[in-house]
């Protein structure tokens, strides 16, 4: 069986086990972009509280977030943690969006050009940039996170020390360039990582990938 077939087969198993995940939970592309910054180093439940605060203050729009004072912004997003740092990052990102003509203008850029521009913003790393590209701009860019590395290392597909770009390339070279597929695959990986393939004490019994995973053989 080819590596491509392996990856698609894994996707099919996860989809059968968990069903469609309906990611990203944002009402607008701008909300997705804001959420991609707020979710750094925190749980999504905390991001939801911060998003709720921004909506309540009428600040979840590009111009409103551009005008808002950084201290006020930090207070609104306090539930997301690291709120002073994230407020600065959001202000930098919003300034970039305003200077480049907004989301509609940026949507006309090529994917690699847009990725380079996003990575040039202070506080926007590769995972955040790729999340914005995939979920806000609907570009076929595979998002890599700690769950991805952990699960596919345990399955024997990746080295433990594989770098972000190596992991990203591993998926993009073996799967069709399909934003919808990448979206659902990433969401399913996160679901598996949270519920089953935990960093410590993984719950292997009943895992939809247990028979494929060398790491699970002594835990069943």
């Amino acid at each position: 069986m080819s590596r491509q077939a392996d990856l698609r087969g894994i996707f099919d198993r996860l989809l059968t086990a968990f069903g469609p995940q309906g990611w990203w939970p944002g009402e607008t592309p701008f909300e997705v972009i804001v959420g991609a910054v707020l979710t750094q180093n925190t749980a999504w439940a905390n991001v939801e509280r911060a998003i709720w605060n921004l909506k309540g203050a009428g600040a979840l729009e590009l111009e409103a977030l551009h005008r808002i004072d950084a201290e006020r912004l930090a207070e609104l997003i306090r539930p997301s943690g690291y709120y002073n740092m994230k407020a600065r990052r959001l202000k930098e990102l919003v300034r970039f969006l305003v200077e480049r003509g907004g989301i509609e203008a940026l949507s006309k850029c090529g994917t690699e050009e847009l990725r380079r521009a996003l990575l040039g913003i202070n506080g926007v790393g590769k995972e955040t940039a790729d999340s914005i590209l995939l979920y806000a701009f609907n570009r076929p860019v595979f998002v890599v996170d700690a769950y991805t590395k952990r699960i596919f290392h345990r399955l024997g597909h990746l080295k433990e020390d594989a770098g972000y770009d190596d992991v990203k390339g591993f998926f993009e070279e073996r799967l069709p360039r399909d934003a919808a597929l990448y979206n659902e695959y990433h969401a399913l990986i996160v679901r598996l990582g949270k519920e089953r393939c935990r960093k410590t004490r993984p719950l292997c019994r009943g895992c939809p990938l247990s028979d494929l995973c060398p790491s699970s053989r002594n835990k069943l």
Side-chain angles (χ1 to χ4, degrees):
M1 184 181 293
S2 71
R3 284 291 181 92
Q4 181 172 354
D6 286 346
L7 291 184
R8 188 64 198 226
I10 289 169
F11 171 81
D12 290 341
R13 285 187 182 217
L14 295 177
L15 187 62
T16 298
F18 298 124
Q21 300 301 293
W23 271 31
W24 185 297
E27 295 179 359
T28 66
F30 183 66
E31 184 176 330
V32 170
I33 290 171
V34 172
V37 174
L38 294 180
T39 198
Q40 294 172 353
N41 302 304
T42 195
W44 184 254
N46 298 328
V47 176
E48 288 180 322
R49 289 193 286 272
I51 292 287
W52 180 261
N53 288 347
L54 290 171
K55 286 182 177 179
L60 197 57
E61 296 179 0
L62 180 59
E63 290 299 331
L65 210 56
H66 186 51
R67 292 192 304 267
I68 197 170
D69 180 82
E71 292 183 3
R72 172 62 174 154
L73 175 58
E75 187 60 32
L76 290 171
I77 65 171
R78 180 184 286 268
S80 70
Y82 302 97
Y83 48 91
N84 287 319
M85 177 184 68
K86 289 180 180 179
R88 291 193 297 271
R89 290 179 175 180
L90 277 175
K91 295 294 284 185
E92 285 289 320
L93 181 53
V94 166
R95 182 171 63 84
F96 164 80
L97 291 173
V98 169
E99 290 177 351
R100 295 292 294 267
I103 293 173
E104 185 175 351
L106 285 168
S107 67
K108 299 174 184 177
C109 295
T111 299
E112 288 306 316
E113 176 190 356
L114 184 51
R115 188 173 193 261
R116 286 193 298 270
L118 290 169
L119 290 173
I121 302 169
N122 181 43
V124 176
K126 293 177 179 179
E127 183 181 342
T128 300
D130 289 342
S131 294
I132 291 171
L133 287 168
L134 176 61
Y135 293 111
F137 288 95
N138 197 37
R139 303 298 176 88
V141 174
F142 202 93
V143 177
V144 175
D145 57 19
Y147 297 121
T148 312
K149 293 181 180 180
R150 179 195 311 156
I151 291 168
F152 284 85
H153 167 64
R154 286 176 174 171
L155 288 171
H157 288 287
L158 300 172
K159 295 181 179 179
E160 189 171 12
D161 60 350
Y164 186 98
D165 290 332
D166 291 333
V167 179
K168 180 173 178 286
F170 172 80
F171 283 91
E172 291 181 354
E173 291 166 9
R174 292 166 173 81
L175 292 170
R177 286 296 184 108
D178 184 333
L181 173 62
Y182 291 179
N183 180 319
E184 194 65 64
Y185 212 146
H186 179 228
L188 290 166
I189 287 170
V190 172
R191 176 80 178 268
L192 182 69
K194 286 182 175 180
E195 294 189 4
R196 292 270 174 196
C197 201
R198 301 171 181 176
K199 186 174 183 180
T200 58
R201 298 183 180 180
L203 302 178
C204 296
R205 187 178 297 277
C207 172
L209 306 181
S210 61
D211 62 316
L212 303 178
C213 184
S215 300
S216 75
R217 290 172 183 165
N218 297 323
K219 301 182 180 69
L220 294 175

